[in-house]
Amino acid sequence: RKEVEQDPGPFNVPEGATVAFNCTYSNSASQSFFWYRQDCRKEPKLLMSVYSSGNEDGRFTAQLNRASQYISLLIRDSKLSDSATYLCVVWGGTGGFKTIFGAGTRLFVKA
Amino acid sequence: EAQVTQNPRYLITVTGKKLTVTCSQNMNHEYMSWYRQDPGLGLRQIYYSMNVEVTDKGDVPEGYKVSRKEKRNFPLILESPSPNQTSLYFCASSVIQGRGQETQYFGPGTRLLVL
């Protein structure tokens, strides 16, 4: 079983749609959680940190459920510019201070 | 400007010829890391460093070496490259605080082809 699992997609949605991505992680002692965005083999960039209390940044909402070891990302009112790969990332826990990336979920937003 | 730099950006080499990819950050970050990215596999951590002279293996360390003699630099060394090390490599750095890792900042990537 992979340490961080994501649905690879692709998700094909029209502009204005709401889309949700999910991610599960296996190390219950993990400490930090993130969503990164990556455009076409460029360097990943932070989209949001994820907290148990949930956090929102404009059209983006992220949620962490530690009991279920589950992370989510919700994108509302999708824009063409949201087309990218979304990476679920987990840091720390038993075994040291590794950073583990999910394989990514590909999103295509179409006009 | 806060940044992570990697060099070279592109490299073609032959099996067995030692090479070094440099990484430098100007943000005084404690944590630095190397990843490789391969199609369908996402980013996999090769090595990471929590601070100067403190390094540890990630998930795919075989065939690689690192060193952290200065806080700003974290070179990746391939002593005897093989074709299965052909990949896109990223260096990254971040702060580690009480609640854990903060934002990682990535370099632009190094595309390596081993013939």
Side-chain angles (χ1 to χ4, degrees):
Chain A
R1 181 188 171 191
K2 292 181 182 177
E3 292 186 69
V4 177
E5 294 207 64
Q6 296 180 247
D7 181 344
F11 285 59
N12 293 289
V13 302
E15 273 188 294
T18 295
V19 61
F21 301 143
N22 303 317
C23 168
T24 58
Y25 62 96
S26 61
N27 190 332
S28 61
S30 297
Q31 296 175 257
S32 303
F33 308 88
F34 309 91
W35 284 101
Y36 279 76
R37 170 190 169 131
Q38 187 177 28
D39 294 287
C40 200
R41 303 280 276 179
K42 292 190 175 179
E43 71 272 24
K45 293 185 180 178
L46 180 72
L47 180 66
M48 303 180 76
S49 299
V50 190
Y51 307 110
S52 297
S53 55
N55 47 312
E56 186 173 317
D57 183 3
R59 299 181 293 108
F60 300 86
T61 300
Q63 191 75 48
L64 167 65
N65 184 322
R66 283 190 180 270
S68 302
Q69 295 175 211
Y70 172 93
I71 305 163
S72 64
L73 176 68
L74 185 74
I75 305 175
R76 291 180 297 277
D77 188 22
S78 298
K79 311 291 185 191
L80 294 176
S81 58
D82 293 334
S83 297
T85 298
Y86 291 83
L87 305 168
C88 177
V89 183
V90 174
W91 180 85
T94 53
F97 302 102
K98 293 181 185 178
T99 307
I100 308 294
F101 279 74
T105 299
R106 190 76 175 91
L107 173 65
F108 293 96
V109 181
K110 299 185 176 180
Chain B
E1 179 190 356
Q3 61 182 354
V4 178
T5 56
Q6 293 178 229
N7 283 292
R9 294 287 312 280
Y10 303 91
L11 180 60
I12 300 174
T13 190
V14 295
T15 299
K17 186 176 181 182
K18 181 179 178 180
L19 66 92
T20 299
V21 185
T22 63
C23 173
S24 183
Q25 51 96 2
N26 62 2
M27 296 168 280
N28 202 37
H29 286 168
E30 301 89 358
Y31 190 91
M32 295 189 74
S33 187
W34 276 103
Y35 302 91
R36 61 177 290 173
Q37 186 170 29
D38 303 289
L41 297 177
L43 277 84
R44 294 178 293 167
Q45 193 173 43
I46 302 170
Y47 271 94
Y48 65 93
S49 170
M50 291 289 285
N51 215 321
V52 175
E53 302 291 2
V54 181
T55 63
D56 210 344
K57 296 177 181 178
D59 283 338
V60 288
E62 296 79 18
Y64 304 95
K65 286 186 178 179
V66 293
S67 66
R68 188 93 181 270
K69 294 186 172 62
E70 304 167 283
K71 198 170 186 179
R72 64 182 293 126
N73 296 323
F74 191 45
L76 180 69
I77 303 156
L78 285 71
E79 294 270 4
S80 183
S82 62
N84 65 12
Q85 293 179 297
T86 292
S87 189
L88 174 60
Y89 291 86
F90 288 106
C91 180
S93 72
S94 70
V95 170
I96 303 294
Q97 294 192 354
R99 63 181 179 183
Q101 187 182 54
E102 302 292 331
T103 305
Q104 279 195 94
Y105 294 86
F106 284 80
T110 295
R111 294 185 185 274
L112 173 64
L113 173 62
V114 183
L115 300 173

